[in-house]
Amino acid sequence: MIFEERYKILLSACQDIRRHRERLAKPVMADQILEEVGMDVPSESLLSHMIAEALLLRVDRNLLVGKNIYLQQYEISQIDLFDLLPRAIPHVPQSYAIANQYLAQALRPLATATLIDIGIGKGAQIVDLLRSLAGDAGRLRRLRIVALDPSAQNIAEAAAAIAALQDELPFAVDVLGLRALVEQCDAAMLRAAAGDAEGIVVNAAYALHHTRHAAQDQEARTELLRRLAVLQPRVFTLVEPSANHDTEQLTRRVHSCWEHFGTVFDLIDHSAATPLEKFAIKEKFFGREVRDILGTSDVFRCERHEPYESWLLRLTKAGLRPFPGADLAVTLPDYCSAIVREGLVRLCYRGVPLIAVFAYRSPEGVH
């Protein structure tokens, strides 16, 4: 899709916006707006519609008020739509499975441990981890789960799902809910929540790209990773989409939106999801992301994805090191691919890395 004529049209209009030639850009973008949007609209037309719609908000000086789209009230919540993704994007459940393999490997040698889960959501990933540990817990006898999430409802649902598993587990589990954004938490607060466990592991799946920072502040997330490194985690698993949406340069953001979401939409079209599910995922879930990336005030944008190379640099600058080679099982359909390296798994489609799973550790966290 990257060479589609629509891409060239949108990029040219975006350049006119940057040059303050909105009068020229507006009719060009208006031509990309569809009169009707439905399940039969081709992906490239739907994506150009979404991008043009978001850019017109800029031209009309009608930027959306930024809020975390996972905390806004919709007819279908963003987190409920996220639960549809595994049917259309096999990389999503596989990213959780890979992170859980790293987490389980770090937890099994410990008798008592704390798992700090940043953005626990409804707890689906942690439930799968606990089921895996139920079959092979190693030395683990007590596990505390610090459920860090800005939504009280998410914490309650995650805690209930975990409690329902307790009778199946050969170790005790307690859940400590911590309603907050991770950028509001300092290392002392997190260490106090962790208690007196023998070791700490940390998981952040699809959460850290939501952290906000001032424009041009390239070090805020590195500082956040440094605060997590102070906890000396036995392993820190990080799952993130790989795209360049944190840049303040609008043209680059439009290019990355077209490349990333165009590839994702093609992947969705290739899947066995129903036409209605495909449309809901593209138009609702990713449509909200596109509108946030391009049509929200830059001060308040929350969908700030970064390329995986950027996260590699941040992890290294934070003093974390790759987790020593785990014997990973990676299962994807034959039309997808994975690149496995120490501490990093890239999940790809058509050669494009869409999601990266990192496993890093503090050198002081291993004894």
Side-chain angles (χ1 to χ4, degrees), residues 209 221 241-246 304-308 310-311 314:
H209 69 264
R221 287 179 178 165
S242 182
N244 188 21
H245 298 148
D246 195 37
R304 292 178 170 268
H305 309 104
E306 296 190 49
Y308 77 88
S310 175
W311 288 111
R314 293 189 188 283

Side-chain angles (χ1 to χ4, degrees), residues 13 22 25 77 88 245 349:
E22 289 89 349
S77 72
H245 298 148
Y349 177 70

Side-chain angles (χ1 to χ4, degrees), residues 166-200:
Q166 182 62 81
D167 291 343
E168 305 173 28
L169 303 176
F171 52 86
V173 178
D174 72 279
V175 178
L176 176 65
L178 193 57
R179 186 183 178 187
L181 297 168
V182 66
E183 56 265 44
Q184 298 170 337
C185 302
D186 58 27
M189 180 189 304
L190 294 174
R191 187 173 290 282
D196 59 353
E198 184 180 343
I200 297 173

